[in-house]
Amino acid sequence: MAQELISKRIAVIGGGPAGCICAKFLLDEGFSITIFDKGELLKTLLPTGGGKCNLAFAEYDFKELAKNYPRGEKFLYSVFSRFGTSDTVEFFKSIGVETYVREDNRIFPTSNSSADVRDKFLRVLKGVKYIREKVTNILPPATASPVLSPPLVGMSEGVNSYKIFTDKGEYLFDNVVVATGGKSYEILKNLDINIIPPTKSLVGLITKDDYSGLSGVSLKNVKCAKFSGDILFTHKGISGPLVYTLSSIDARKEFPYQLEFEFIDQKLNPQEFLDKNSHKEIKNLLGQFVPKSFAEFYLKSLGLNSETMCHKIDGKTRDLIFNNLKNYKITVTGKIPDSEVVTCGGVDLKEINPKTLASKKYSGLYFCGEVLDIDGFCGGFNLQNCWATGYVVSQSIIEKFI
């Protein structure tokens, strides 16, 4: 019995969404949970969804849901089949967070407050032991010493324990959940775990052309390849929902590369609009499709007078103006520093059992959340990954003790 109790002490490294939902489900089954984090629990939840907390996306078919992950799609089939969107909504309802679905299918709490979600989540984590220390290293069982000086947590006589080093102490646990997010891979340096080098995803892009004069101007419902959404011009280039999606898909593409946007419908008949608005200035006509400030910038870039009347636009100039708007090319030269929402890369999925999220090499070692080489588009997909993988890890540990 003593051995069983000791073994049921679980270390969760990382107090973000994935680690905390894993801890919650384990607490419900009587496990003793210790969370290690150098910061405050669930602090990373606060800025999500612009502070409103975009919890998930209203796609209930797990295979369709998984299509929104440039890295990890097939791996997530098993995960989402066990914990999908409806399970996320039900979980938050169980802790007092009611939700609603926006017109764009993004799911938010009715309070529209990340702080409210965090507060209610923390209430159900009161049984967790929280050690506010920075984990610096993990040693696998074969190298963990059976005798250590205090402080010790979860020591289980022998060599079957992981040794966790922090900036203030050393700890032993038989079962360890790594949920450190997309940046803290250094703690895995002494484990034979392959890490896909992380890089920024869902990030603003630096452009060859200078759009600083348009900073803050946005274009709505723009198309690029098979995707559509809004783009925003910035001092350094372009940003916005569509750009985040494209940057995610091209996360590992070498610079420079070119993106081709459809600012006006390909089927639009330019001459028909010119004829109907013959006494308008060309900048005002284009203002029907794009912001006038962009129209002026664009016409100037073509060497044209933005005040030219539409009836004076000849066929060659017409085609120059409209064909370029139908296929507007922007050359991307880099990623805007410190603008990423998430990163791609992380623990190689080949290292992980997709049904249990346990390490294939180390018994008692589990991974969940963005520490894995999984990342999704904007819209609640990255939080859904955290909720679902955190749940699966908890169930894998629970099943281990049944």
Side-chain angles (χ1 to χ4, degrees):
M1 179 63 70
Q3 179 63 36
E4 179 183 355
L5 289 173
I6 289 170
S7 297
K8 290 185 74 172
R9 293 175 180 169
I10 313 297
V12 177
I13 304 176
C20 285
I21 196 169
C22 180
K24 164 62 170 66
F25 282 113
L26 288 170
L27 274 177
D28 290 347
E29 296 299 321
F31 286 80
S32 176
I33 309 300
T34 301
I35 296 181
F36 292 86
D37 199 298
K38 65 179 181 180
E40 298 176 11
L41 296 183
L42 289 173
K43 185 177 180 180
T44 56
L45 196 64
L46 294 175
T48 59
K52 295 181 179 180
C53 205
N54 182 188
L55 292 168
F57 187 85
E59 172 56 68
Y60 301 94
D61 181 293
F62 71 87
K63 289 187 177 180
E64 290 299 315
L65 180 62
K67 287 180 180 179
N68 293 282
Y69 297 80
R71 273 122 334 237
E73 178 182 349
K74 297 292 176 64
F75 184 90
L76 286 169
Y77 283 178
S78 175
V79 174
F80 288 161
S81 68
R82 296 182 66 185
F83 197 90
T85 302
S86 59
D87 298 298
T88 296
V89 172
E90 184 59 33
F91 166 75
F92 280 100
K93 183 178 181 180
S94 75
I95 66 170
V97 177
E98 297 291 338
T99 58
Y100 72 97
V101 181
R102 277 193 346 192
E103 291 182 358
D104 59 4
N105 284 331
R106 299 186 184 200
I107 298 175
F108 287 84
T110 55
S111 65
N112 283 317
S113 169
S114 295
D116 177 65
V117 174
R118 178 175 181 258
D119 288 345
K120 288 177 178 174
F121 207 143
L122 290 177
R123 289 176 195 170
V124 297
L125 291 175
K126 288 184 178 179
V128 165
K129 181 172 183 179
Y130 168 38
I131 297 180
R132 191 167 181 174
E133 297 174 10
K134 179 181 179 181
V135 173
T136 57
N137 196 7
I138 303 172
L139 289 184
T143 56
S145 170
V147 180
L148 294 171
S149 57
L152 291 179
V153 177
M155 188 169 180
S156 57
E157 307 294 336
V159 294
N160 294 321
S161 300
Y162 290 87
K163 185 193 289 188
I164 297 174
F165 293 85
T166 74
D167 53 357
K168 296 180 180 178
E170 300 173 1
Y171 306 82
L172 286 180
F173 286 88
D174 286 343
N175 295 276
V176 176
V177 179
V178 179
T180 50
K183 296 179 180 179
S184 302
Y185 301 107
E186 183 64 19
I187 68 170
L188 303 176
K189 59 182 178 291
N190 286 314
L191 296 172
D192 182 22
I193 299 288
N194 187 45
I195 304 297
I196 305 298
T199 187
K200 298 174 182 177
S201 181
L202 297 184
V203 65
L205 299 172
I206 299 171
T207 57
K208 179 180 179 182
D209 293 326
D210 181 8
Y211 293 106
S212 59
L214 291 172
S215 182
V217 174
S218 64
L219 276 69
K220 306 293 184 182
N221 300 315
V222 174
K223 294 180 181 179
C224 184
K226 62 179 181 179
F227 301 97
S228 63
D230 300 349
I231 73 169
L232 175 72
F233 291 105
T234 70
H235 284 292
K236 295 183 178 180
I238 53 176
S239 186
L242 177 58
V243 173
Y244 284 151
T245 296
L246 298 172
S247 72
S248 178
I249 291 177
D250 295 330
R252 298 194 179 279
K253 196 169 185 177
E254 291 187 11
F255 299 109
Y257 63 83
Q258 197 171 74
L259 294 173
E260 194 167 294
F261 295 93
E262 186 178 319
F263 286 169
I264 61 173
D265 195 320
Q266 294 284 353
K267 297 178 182 178
L268 181 138
N269 185 330
Q271 191 58 53
E272 181 180 329
F273 274 87
L274 288 170
D275 292 342
K276 288 182 178 179
N277 299 275
S278 59
H279 295 291
K280 279 188 176 181
E281 295 178 350
I282 185 63
K283 67 178 180 183
N284 292 328
L285 174 63
L286 294 184
Q288 296 180 37
F289 309 104
V290 297
K292 191 175 293 185
S293 56
F294 176 77
E296 293 176 341
F297 169 89
Y298 170 65
L299 291 166
K300 183 179 179 180
S301 73
L302 297 177
L304 301 175
N305 184 347
S306 63
E307 297 179 352
T308 301
M309 305 301 287
C310 288
H311 69 271
K312 293 185 178 181
I313 301 294
D314 58 30
K316 183 178 179 180
T317 304
R318 174 202 64 206
D319 291 344
L320 175 67
I321 294 171
F322 286 91
N323 288 344
N324 279 314
L325 281 178
K326 289 180 179 181
N327 301 281
Y328 190 86
K329 298 177 177 63
I330 294 180
T331 299
V332 177
T333 59
K335 301 175 182 180
I336 297 176
D338 301 320
S339 68
E340 77 271 18
V341 178
V342 298
T343 58
C344 75
V347 174
D348 190 340
L349 299 183
K350 294 177 182 178
E351 300 271 0
I352 307 300
N353 182 327
K355 294 183 178 180
T356 64
L357 300 187
S359 166
K360 292 179 179 179
K361 295 175 180 174
Y362 300 99
S363 176
L365 182 64
Y366 303 83
F367 295 87
C368 58
E370 291 182 24
V371 72
L372 294 163
D373 184 25
I374 296 173
D375 61 289
F377 298 140
C378 282
F381 299 107
N382 289 292
L383 278 181
Q384 177 63 35
N385 168 43
C386 291
W387 310 135
T389 54
Y391 169 82
V392 169
V393 168
S394 72
Q395 300 309 296
S396 299
I397 295 172
I398 291 167
E399 290 164 8
K400 185 176 177 180
F401 287 89
I402 292 177

